[in-house]
Amino acid sequence: MGEYLLEVQDLKTYFKTKAGRVRAVDGVNFAVKPGEKIAIVGESGCGKSVTALSIMRLVAQPPGEYAGGSIYFEGQDLLELPESAMRKVRGGKIGMIFQDPMTCLNPTMTVGKQIAEGLRIHLKLSESEARKRAMALLDQVGIPAVSERIDSYPHQFSGGMRQRVMIAIALACNPKLLIADEPTTALDVTVQAQILELISAVCNEFGTALILITHDLGVVAGVADRVVVMYAGRVVEEAPTEELFKNPRMPYTIGLLESVPRLDDRVHGELKTIEGAPPDLLNPPSGCYFMPRCFFARSICRTRPPLEPLPGNPTHRKACWVDVTDPAEQAYAERRRQRRAEAQRATIEAAASSQAHTS
């Protein structure tokens, strides 16, 4: 375990509901080296945020439960630590930037006091030392007029500035790992770029490892060293960023990449989507969860594929039985795609004809 700062092994986080058990995270495996930046991507509801909350031990129990697996951080299984020891890890060794800073920041406390709170708890700084360190952090994350803004309240900041405050809080105690859960949600495009550049820069400066959680593959290319793709609570592909973009080997990853809008696509001009919907995690299928939406699907896909390295390439793992680079498999998938499109057109035309007839 010495090679890795964090190792998530077969993690299972379920939620008890009146309808049954929701398998939000169902056997997730990945690891992070010291100073490495990885991105966890996937559509909404795939288990990205629950994975992050599980690492921080912030899943409410009940209704949540850690149904299995391990989360090793610096050789210690976080799921086995008592809550008193876990409090020292949160904010001290692992920092987290949440999606919505307005709901995470205390509206009744100045931002300076909120930053200083963690410094006094984890680093045992005096009030004056903590305030001085808080001012330095605010300056580092790009807050102007620090001597004045340190005594401001969250509602006096813009959305982008509040997110900068959250970054300052997360980095206050020089954590070894930073988790950023959709840190650019609800921010405009310009501010999104600034926040991502800031997170990447501070991680590089302090050698902090990063887990960036996002649903948008388009934002990870300039930030992450490696990408973990999740679907319906499972990891379905993992590879170095450049490798994943150039050579995706899981049909779901291919669909995600194709759905990213491209400025240079002037031929078709259509926004590509992944047809269908994710499976019901109350009663998931026994085989590959992506099978009902996959044009490459075969009968073998009714058996769950393991997450395994590609032959001769241990850094690239996929959970798929099909070789999507095989021309015969590509032709098979294209025929299925065309038949699906023709069936959809026929359905639309029949519905239009029926409507015209009745009117």
Side-chain angles (χ1 to χ4, degrees), residues 30 41 45 60 71 81 96 109 115 200 206 220 235 245 279 286 304 322 338 346 350:
F30 68 90
V41 303
I71 303 171
L81 289 182
M96 186 164 180
M109 290 177 64
I115 298 173
S200 182
F206 294 105
V220 306
V235 175
F245 275 70
S286 59
R304 177 178 177 175
V322 180
Q338 289 177 357

Side-chain angles (χ1 to χ4, degrees), residues 56-318:
M56 297 294 283
R57 283 261 303 271
L58 289 175
V59 173
Q61 302 179 75
E65 63 170 327
Y66 301 110
S70 304
I71 303 171
Y72 286 99
F73 179 76
E74 295 186 318
Q76 285 186 309
D77 187 355
L78 299 183
L79 296 181
E80 298 294 330
L81 289 182
E83 181 58 26
S84 58
M86 193 63 207
R87 286 197 203 101
K88 296 179 181 179
V89 174
R90 293 191 205 103
K93 295 183 178 182
I94 305 178
M96 186 164 180
I97 305 168
F98 294 91
Q99 289 188 34
D100 185 0
M102 199 58 196
T103 59
C104 297
L105 294 171
N106 188 331
T108 68
M109 290 177 64
T110 65
V111 298
K113 286 185 178 180
Q114 294 187 60
I115 298 173
E117 184 178 34
L119 293 167
R120 297 184 67 182
I121 292 172
H122 294 288
L123 301 185
K124 309 301 181 184
L125 299 185
S126 66
E127 186 174 345
S128 60
E129 290 172 332
R131 181 180 174 87
K132 184 177 179 180
R133 168 70 173 153
M135 291 179 67
L137 284 162
L138 288 174
D139 181 65
Q140 187 176 12
V141 298
I143 300 293
V146 170
S147 59
E148 300 173 12
R149 302 311 298 272
I150 191 170
D151 294 317
S152 298
Y153 291 87
H155 72 271
Q156 296 174 298
F157 288 80
S158 67
M161 288 297 159
R162 285 195 293 267
Q163 197 61 285
R164 289 173 186 270
V165 171
M166 284 295 301
I167 294 171
I169 293 173
L171 293 172
C173 300
N174 297 322
K176 296 184 178 181
L177 173 65
L178 178 65
I179 302 174
D181 185 8
E182 301 274 13
T184 58
T185 297
L187 300 178
D188 63 58
V189 176
T190 303
V191 178
Q192 284 183 19
Q194 293 172 353
I195 294 298
L196 289 171
E197 288 175 9
L198 174 61
I199 291 172
S200 182
V202 294
C203 286
N204 289 336
E205 182 178 352
F206 294 105
T208 306
L210 172 68
I211 297 177
L212 173 64
I213 294 172
T214 179
H215 63 273
D216 185 358
L217 267 170
V219 307
V220 306
V223 177
D225 303 314
R226 194 156 45 88
V227 181
V228 174
V229 182
M230 286 188 65
Y231 181 75
R234 297 176 177 176
V235 175
V236 294
E237 188 162 11
E238 177 189 353
T241 304
E242 185 176 356
E243 165 79 6
L244 188 91
F245 275 70
K246 288 184 177 180
N247 187 30
R249 302 298 292 270
M250 166 68 187
Y252 176 64
T253 308
I254 295 172
L256 282 182
L257 288 168
E258 288 181 344
S259 67
V260 176
R262 297 176 58 92
L263 294 176
D264 59 351
D265 188 2
R266 301 183 180 182
V267 178
H268 303 292
E270 289 185 1
L271 180 64
K272 294 184 178 180
T273 61
I274 302 175
E275 295 183 8
D280 179 4
L281 295 182
L282 280 167
N283 187 26
S286 59
C288 175
Y289 286 1
F290 191 60
M291 181 180 177
R293 307 171 73 183
C294 182
F295 291 111
F296 287 89
R298 302 280 188 156
S299 58
I300 192 175
C301 300
R302 294 189 178 93
T303 302
R304 177 178 177 175
L307 182 66
E308 293 183 333
L310 299 183
N313 188 355
T315 64
H316 192 157
R317 301 189 300 164
K318 69 164 185 173

Side-chain angles (χ1 to χ4, degrees), residues 6-15 22-30 40 46-59 65-72 77-80 179 211 230 232-235 304:
L6 176 77
E7 277 190 281
V8 178
Q9 300 178 348
D10 198 30
L11 176 64
K12 297 177 181 179
T13 306
Y14 299 164
F15 290 89
V22 176
R23 301 180 182 184
V25 173
D26 194 20
V28 164
N29 292 274
F30 68 90
I40 300 179
C46 72
K48 307 183 299 296
S49 293
V50 175
T51 298
L53 292 173
S54 298
I55 294 171
M56 297 294 283
R57 283 261 303 271
L58 289 175
V59 173
E65 63 170 327
Y66 301 110
S70 304
I71 303 171
Y72 286 99
D77 187 355
L78 299 183
L79 296 181
E80 298 294 330
I179 302 174
I211 297 177
M230 286 188 65
R234 297 176 177 176
V235 175
R304 177 178 177 175

